[in-house]
Amino acid sequence: MAKTEASQTFGASVKKGDKLFRSRVESYGSLLDTWRSHLSVIARGGGQKRQDREHERGKMLVRERIARLVDNPSDFLELGAFAGLGMYEDEGGCPAGGTVMGLGHVHGRLCMIVANDATVKAGAWFPITAKKNLRAQEIVLDNHIPVIYLVDSAGIFLPQQDNVFPDKDHFGRIFRNNAVLSSKGIPQIYAIMGSCVAGGAYLPIMSDEALIVEGTGSLFLAGPFLVKAAIGESVDVETLGGAETHSQISGVTDYQMPDDETCIDMIRNLVSRLGRRPSAGFDRIESADSAFPADEIYGIVPESGSQSYDMKDLLARIIDRDTWTEYKEGYGKTILTGYARIDGWSVGIVANQRLIVRAKAGVASHVDEMQAGGVIYSDSANKATRFIMNCNQKRIPLVFFQDVTGFMVGSRAEQGGIIKDGAKMVSVVANSVVPKFTVVVGNSYGAGNYAMCGRAYDPRLMLAWPSARIAVMGGSQAARTLLQIEKSRMKRDGRELTSEEESELLTRIQARYDEQTTPYYAAARLWVDEIIDPVETRRWLSIGIEMANHNPEIPVFNPGIIQT
């Protein structure tokens, strides 16, 4: 088929006027309403009263600071917005983990920006706050982009100190990462715009340059009350650790700023002077629009995770038009593999195919006559393994689109070596050296999550759509499994359930399990970096590859580690 003819058919099967399309658009609209509602609440931070108090003190709010810092506020990509959602309710909640972070351009330079929200428990650190900050540093380390931190925090939230302070991936790991970032020459700029106390006082001083705001910024290992209790000295905040003390006496900070606005303007000035560095050299040409409007995605994604659809229809609304080159098109059809471009960037795509496909009779004994969509078979795993190896050899970033129910099970699959083939795919994903990006479109179940580059396999960004589901298995199967376990336990105790009690228990178990599979449950715990509107997928991936391109350190891929 000629390229022009192929481009006309790729993704063109969608019928916008039919009943199914309209029904799916309506269903996805409901998902987006829930998503927007959560974001609206999160953006209020600690509430209007606390926001007003910050303004009365002459301070900007956290998102106001970021808006002034970046070149274009609408281009700021917030990460971890849902961190802490539904957690710490006994402590009054912790919207966005008390910290706003994300990617934004400052004088044209892509930076990681992290800023405490002083309206949330005075910016105190909860366990999820530490995890979120560590994730920010991980992204910076992986991609070698500058980091800007706007500090305004009262330190560790003491009722949760045992979950924040002592372990390997707790608060102390952040200091360690500061030192590692410095050793790699990755720029770190910290602005003390509020409280910065106790161990947290080391954070800005382990950076390259530190700014402090007069009147509101303070920096000390122990505040006035603790100093009084420890050594009997009476001292006020400004004398102990204010802007004049640290800029004119101790010399701890580098720039003394009169207010928030001037401080942020100085940060922009400093970033504008950063020297250019070598890049990874990922291929990029002039961008082309996708072949179809992105908002048509809403009418393609099914209302139920068990319904089928053509993944090619989604891809055609994300990738640049006329850039799809499919790899092994006729083989292993429950995974799509192919080369494409996203906003001009060259990428390799690995995507689960949810269409039910018929295998050709006699092609291979381990291939079922009909392959269920979203399931990884041996042939699909083998195809994906070889394609991922090729992308590593060619230094092409990988993008995974997950809608997977797991690997095929049963005697035929086991005899065909599904465990061996699945292990090879997991191994090649784990050992990939090119940047990986993951988008969870629908289901992300079981070992399919691993093979398709789940969180444990170090994607540079892991994004989820509001339709995503992440769990060890589907809700219905899991609920029935858990029900059988509960019935067996009760039987050992000499009790039998009536049919009504069994039905009620099943409903209760499934409701609890379903809640734990939502993208919000995952995002609250930072199993994914962000839940995004599907129409923004292309922009997120483009910025992600731009980010990854900052790090020129890509090891040589060794295909010998994969037993083929």
Side-chain angles (χ1 to χ4, degrees):
M1 183 182 293
K3 183 176 181 180
T4 54
E5 184 181 349
S7 64
Q8 290 172 356
T9 58
F10 184 71
S13 62
V14 175
K15 297 178 177 61
K16 294 190 290 182
D18 70 13
K19 183 178 179 181
L20 179 61
F21 184 92
R22 295 196 304 272
S23 174
R24 288 179 173 179
V25 167
E26 183 179 353
S27 176
Y28 218 100
S30 178
L31 292 177
L32 289 171
D33 287 343
T34 301
W35 174 73
R36 294 188 188 100
S37 177
H38 281 308
L39 285 176
S40 176
V41 173
I42 290 166
R44 297 177 200 147
Q48 190 63 51
K49 185 176 179 181
R50 290 187 174 91
Q51 290 183 348
D52 291 343
R53 187 170 61 192
E54 292 298 296
H55 280 153
E56 289 167 3
R57 297 180 62 195
K59 297 169 65 178
M60 300 172 72
L61 300 178
V62 62
R63 287 184 170 83
E64 294 172 345
R65 289 169 173 170
I66 292 173
R68 187 179 181 97
L69 176 63
V70 298
D71 296 342
N72 185 348
S74 64
D75 287 340
F76 177 69
L77 298 181
E78 185 171 349
L79 295 161
F82 296 89
L85 182 68
M87 302 167 67
Y88 316 115
E89 295 303 309
D90 292 343
E91 289 91 357
C94 186
T99 300
V100 178
M101 80 177 194
L103 301 169
H105 289 92
V106 179
H107 270 291
R109 296 293 298 268
L110 185 63
C111 299
M112 169 62 74
I113 300 165
V114 186
N116 301 120
D117 185 352
T119 71
V120 180
K121 294 290 189 297
W125 287 57
F126 284 69
I128 198 65
T129 316
K131 187 174 183 179
K132 186 170 179 177
N133 278 265
L134 286 167
R135 176 58 182 150
Q137 289 184 319
E138 181 181 30
I139 291 172
V140 172
L141 282 165
D142 284 344
N143 300 286
H144 290 199
I145 57 173
V147 58
I148 300 168
Y149 207 126
L150 309 181
V151 185
D152 197 342
S153 172
I156 290 174
F157 184 65
L158 290 179
Q160 289 278 349
Q161 68 85 27
D162 58 325
N163 295 313
V164 182
F165 174 69
D167 209 347
K168 177 181 177 180
D169 288 323
H170 283 175
F171 198 83
R173 187 74 172 183
I174 293 168
F175 306 150
R176 175 264 186 193
N177 288 346
N178 282 135
V180 173
L181 286 167
S182 181
S183 73
K184 290 181 175 293
I186 300 170
Q188 302 176 79
I189 299 173
Y190 276 60
I192 302 160
M193 309 181 79
S195 298
C196 187
V197 301
Y202 288 107
L203 295 177
I205 311 311
M206 294 186 74
S207 68
D208 302 309
E209 292 180 287
L211 306 86
I212 188 168
V213 178
E214 297 172 3
T216 56
S218 59
L219 177 75
F220 33 64
L221 294 179
F225 294 116
L226 185 53
V227 168
K228 178 68 173 177
I231 63 173
E233 179 185 2
S234 297
V235 61
D236 62 80
V237 169
E238 286 300 313
T239 303
L240 184 64
E244 286 192 9
T245 293
H246 286 308
S247 298
Q248 301 176 29
I249 301 174
S250 73
V252 167
T253 55
D254 305 305
Y255 305 93
Q256 182 177 338
M257 297 287 105
D259 50 44
D260 280 8
E261 290 84 357
T262 310
C263 181
I264 291 169
D265 292 345
M266 177 59 82
I267 296 172
R268 287 183 53 81
N269 180 302
L270 295 172
V271 173
S272 73
R273 300 169 188 272
L274 294 176
R276 299 290 167 177
R277 303 187 182 204
S279 71
F282 300 127
D283 186 63
R284 191 182 195 185
I285 62 173
E286 185 178 351
S287 176
D289 292 336
S290 57
F292 304 94
D295 61 5
E296 291 181 6
I297 291 173
Y298 303 144
I300 298 170
V301 179
E303 301 166 56
S304 165
S306 61
Q307 297 172 355
S308 68
Y309 65 93
D310 192 344
M311 177 60 79
K312 291 182 179 180
D313 291 338
L314 291 185
L315 297 181
R317 286 149 182 85
I318 296 172
I319 67 174
D320 295 9
R321 67 169 62 240
D322 298 336
T323 63
W324 176 250
T325 301
E326 190 158 354
Y327 175 81
K328 291 187 181 292
E329 180 179 1
Y331 178 72
K333 291 187 175 182
T334 62
I335 288 184
L336 296 175
T337 51
Y339 302 103
R341 290 190 182 272
I342 294 177
D343 196 22
W345 293 104
S346 173
V347 298
I349 290 177
V350 181
N352 302 114
Q353 175 60 288
R354 286 294 302 275
L355 278 181
I356 295 176
V357 295
R358 289 188 178 277
K360 293 181 180 179
V363 170
S365 61
H366 66 277
V367 178
D368 291 340
E369 181 182 349
M370 180 171 288
Q371 294 192 1
V375 177
I376 301 176
Y377 289 75
S378 284
D379 54 351
S380 300
N382 280 323
K383 177 174 80 169
T385 299
R386 176 56 62 180
F387 178 74
I388 292 167
M389 292 171 67
N390 288 349
C391 288
N392 274 274
Q393 295 284 36
K394 298 175 181 180
R395 293 170 67 95
I396 299 174
L398 285 157
V399 182
F400 294 81
F401 288 89
Q402 288 193 2
D403 195 346
V404 58
T405 52
F407 284 89
M408 188 59 189
V409 297
S411 60
R412 194 170 183 180
E414 297 291 359
Q415 292 167 14
I418 187 66
I419 295 176
K420 177 188 67 177
D421 296 322
K424 286 190 292 186
M425 183 176 174
V426 170
S427 182
V428 76
V429 172
N431 286 287
S432 288
V433 296
V434 295
K436 299 168 289 191
F437 301 87
T438 303
V439 181
V440 186
V441 171
N443 298 327
S444 179
Y445 292 157
N449 171 281
Y450 303 157
M452 292 295 294
C453 197
R455 173 59 99 203
Y457 292 80
D458 300 322
R460 299 291 178 96
L461 290 176
M462 185 164 181
L463 309 169
W465 290 359
S467 47
R469 292 273 173 176
I470 302 173
V472 71
M473 65 178 71
S476 177
Q477 303 96 304
R480 293 189 179 280
T481 301
L482 292 168
L483 175 65
Q484 291 306 315
I485 294 172
E486 182 65 14
K487 286 173 64 178
S488 297
R489 185 189 66 79
M490 296 179 75
K491 189 173 183 179
R492 287 196 301 271
D493 293 340
R495 186 183 169 199
E496 294 281 350
L497 291 175
T498 66
S499 58
E500 291 81 7
E501 289 174 329
E502 183 174 325
S503 177
E504 181 183 347
L505 180 58
L506 178 63
T507 300
R508 192 164 65 248
I509 290 173
Q510 181 152 356
R512 185 177 71 246
Y513 191 87
D514 286 345
E515 179 187 356
Q516 294 175 357
T517 67
T518 69
Y520 302 104
Y521 193 89
R525 290 152 182 81
L526 293 174
W527 300 343
V528 298
D529 291 309
E530 193 56 74
I531 304 171
I532 67 169
D533 185 335
V535 304
E536 293 293 309
T537 304
R538 175 183 166 90
R539 182 164 75 100
W540 274 87
L541 291 174
S542 177
I543 295 295
I545 300 169
E546 177 191 342
M547 171 184 74
N549 199 42
H550 281 72
N551 184 357
E553 299 176 4
I554 300 179
V556 174
F557 179 66
N558 178 10
I561 58 178
I562 312 299
Q563 295 183 358
T564 57

Coordinates of all heavy atoms in Angstrom, one line a residue, residues 36-37 41 59 61 75 101 106 149 160 177 197 230 260-261 267 322 355 357 373 379 414 446 480 487 504 559:
R36 N -11.6 17.6 36.6 CA -11.6 19.1 36.8 C -12.0 19.4 38.2 O -11.4 20.4 38.8 CB -12.4 19.8 35.8 CG -11.9 19.6 34.3 CD -12.7 20.5 33.4 NE -12.4 20.3 32.0 CZ -13.1 19.5 31.2 NH1 -14.3 19.0 31.6 NH2 -12.8 19.3 29.9
S37 N -13.0 18.7 38.7 CA -13.5 19.0 40.1 C -12.4 18.8 41.1 O -12.2 19.6 42.0 CB -14.7 18.2 40.4 OG -15.1 18.4 41.7
V41 N -10.4 21.8 43.6 CA -10.2 21.7 45.0 C -8.8 21.8 45.4 O -8.4 22.5 46.4 CB -10.9 20.5 45.6 CG1 -10.6 20.3 47.1 CG2 -12.4 20.5 45.4
K59 N 3.1 38.3 51.0 CA 3.7 37.1 50.2 C 2.8 36.7 49.1 O 1.5 36.9 49.1 CB 3.8 35.9 51.2 CG 4.8 36.1 52.3 CD 4.7 35.0 53.3 CE 5.1 33.7 52.8 NZ 5.1 32.6 53.9
L61 N 1.1 33.8 46.7 CA 0.8 32.4 46.8 C 1.6 31.5 45.9 O 2.3 32.0 45.0 CB -0.7 32.2 46.5 CG -1.7 32.9 47.3 CD1 -3.1 32.7 46.8 CD2 -1.6 32.6 48.8
D75 N 1.8 27.2 29.9 CA 2.7 26.1 29.4 C 3.3 25.3 30.6 O 4.0 24.3 30.3 CB 3.8 26.7 28.5 CG 3.3 27.1 27.1 OD1 2.2 26.6 26.8 OD2 4.0 27.9 26.5
M101 N 4.9 21.2 42.0 CA 6.1 21.0 41.2 C 5.7 20.8 39.8 O 4.6 20.4 39.5 CB 6.9 19.8 41.7 CG 6.4 18.5 41.3 SD 7.5 17.2 42.0 CE 7.0 15.7 41.0
V106 N 12.0 28.9 31.7 CA 12.4 30.1 32.3 C 13.5 30.7 31.3 O 14.5 30.1 31.2 CB 13.0 29.9 33.7 CG1 13.4 31.3 34.3 CG2 11.9 29.3 34.6
Y149 N 13.9 25.9 43.4 CA 13.1 25.6 44.5 C 12.7 26.9 45.2 O 13.6 27.7 45.6 CB 13.9 24.7 45.5 CG 13.0 23.8 46.4 CD1 13.2 22.4 46.4 CD2 12.0 24.3 47.1 CE1 12.4 21.6 47.2 CE2 11.2 23.5 47.9 CZ 11.4 22.2 47.9 OH 10.6 21.4 48.7
Q160 N 3.9 12.9 61.9 CA 4.2 11.9 60.9 C 5.8 11.7 60.8 O 6.3 11.2 59.8 CB 3.7 12.3 59.5 CG 2.2 12.2 59.4 CD 1.7 10.8 59.1 OE1 2.5 9.9 58.8 NE2 0.4 10.6 59.2
N177 N 20.8 13.8 47.5 CA 20.6 14.1 46.1 C 21.1 15.5 45.8 O 21.5 15.7 44.6 CB 19.1 14.0 45.8 CG 18.6 12.5 45.8 OD1 19.4 11.6 45.7 ND2 17.3 12.3 45.8
V197 N 13.6 25.8 58.1 CA 14.1 25.5 59.5 C 14.6 24.0 59.6 O 14.4 23.2 58.8 CB 12.9 25.7 60.5 CG1 12.4 27.1 60.5 CG2 11.8 24.7 60.3
A230 N 17.0 25.1 74.5 CA 18.2 24.4 74.5 C 19.4 25.0 75.2 O 20.1 24.4 75.9 CB 18.6 24.1 73.0
D260 N 8.9 39.3 47.2 CA 8.8 38.1 46.4 C 9.0 38.4 44.9 O 9.7 37.6 44.2 CB 7.3 37.5 46.6 CG 7.2 36.6 47.8 OD1 8.2 36.6 48.6 OD2 6.2 36.0 48.0
E261 N 8.4 39.4 44.4 CA 8.4 39.8 43.0 C 9.9 40.0 42.6 O 10.3 39.4 41.5 CB 7.6 41.0 42.7 CG 6.1 40.8 42.8 CD 5.6 41.0 44.2 OE1 6.4 41.2 45.2 OE2 4.4 40.9 44.4
I267 N 15.8 35.4 40.0 CA 15.9 34.0 39.6 C 15.9 33.9 38.1 O 16.7 33.2 37.5 CB 14.8 33.1 40.2 CG1 14.9 33.0 41.7 CG2 14.9 31.7 39.6 CD1 13.7 32.3 42.4
D322 N 1.2 11.2 8.8 CA 2.0 10.5 7.8 C 3.4 10.1 8.3 O 4.3 10.0 7.6 CB 2.2 11.5 6.6 CG 1.0 11.8 5.9 OD1 0.0 11.1 6.0 OD2 0.9 12.9 5.2
L355 N -8.3 -4.4 19.9 CA -9.2 -5.2 19.0 C -9.0 -6.7 19.1 O -7.9 -7.1 19.4 CB -8.8 -4.8 17.5 CG -9.4 -3.5 17.0 CD1 -9.0 -3.3 15.5 CD2 -10.9 -3.5 17.0
V357 N -8.4 -10.0 17.5 CA -7.9 -10.3 16.1 C -7.8 -11.8 15.9 O -7.6 -12.6 16.9 CB -6.4 -9.7 16.0 CG1 -6.5 -8.2 16.0 CG2 -5.5 -10.2 17.1
G373 N -8.1 -8.9 22.8 CA -7.5 -7.6 22.9 C -7.0 -7.3 24.3 O -7.7 -7.6 25.3
D379 N 3.8 -14.3 20.9 CA 4.3 -13.7 19.6 C 4.3 -12.2 19.8 O 5.3 -11.5 19.4 CB 3.4 -14.1 18.5 CG 1.9 -13.8 18.7 OD1 1.5 -13.5 19.8 OD2 1.1 -13.9 17.7
E414 N 1.1 -21.7 28.4 CA 2.2 -22.2 29.3 C 3.1 -23.1 28.4 O 4.4 -23.0 28.5 CB 1.7 -22.9 30.5 CG 0.9 -22.0 31.5 CD 1.8 -20.9 32.2 OE1 3.0 -20.9 31.9 OE2 1.2 -20.2 32.9
G446 N -1.6 -6.4 36.3 CA -0.7 -7.5 36.5 C 0.7 -7.3 35.9 O 1.2 -6.2 35.9
R480 N -14.0 -11.5 43.1 CA -14.5 -12.9 43.3 C -13.4 -13.8 43.9 O -13.7 -14.7 44.7 CB -14.9 -13.5 41.9 CG -16.1 -12.8 41.4 CD -16.6 -13.5 40.1 NE -17.8 -12.8 39.7 CZ -19.0 -12.9 40.2 NH1 -19.2 -13.8 41.2 NH2 -20.1 -12.3 39.7
K487 N -14.8 -16.5 52.2 CA -15.8 -17.6 52.4 C -15.1 -18.8 53.1 O -15.6 -19.5 54.0 CB -16.5 -18.1 51.1 CG -17.5 -17.1 50.6 CD -18.1 -17.4 49.3 CE -18.8 -18.8 49.3 NZ -19.4 -19.1 47.9
E504 N -24.0 -9.3 49.1 CA -23.6 -8.0 49.8 C -22.1 -7.9 50.0 O -21.5 -6.9 49.8 CB -24.4 -7.9 51.1 CG -24.1 -6.6 51.9 CD -24.8 -6.6 53.2 OE1 -25.6 -7.5 53.5 OE2 -24.4 -5.7 54.0
P559 N 22.8 -5.7 23.6 CA 21.7 -6.7 23.3 C 22.0 -8.1 23.8 O 21.1 -8.9 23.9 CB 21.6 -6.7 21.8 CG 23.0 -6.3 21.3 CD 23.5 -5.3 22.4

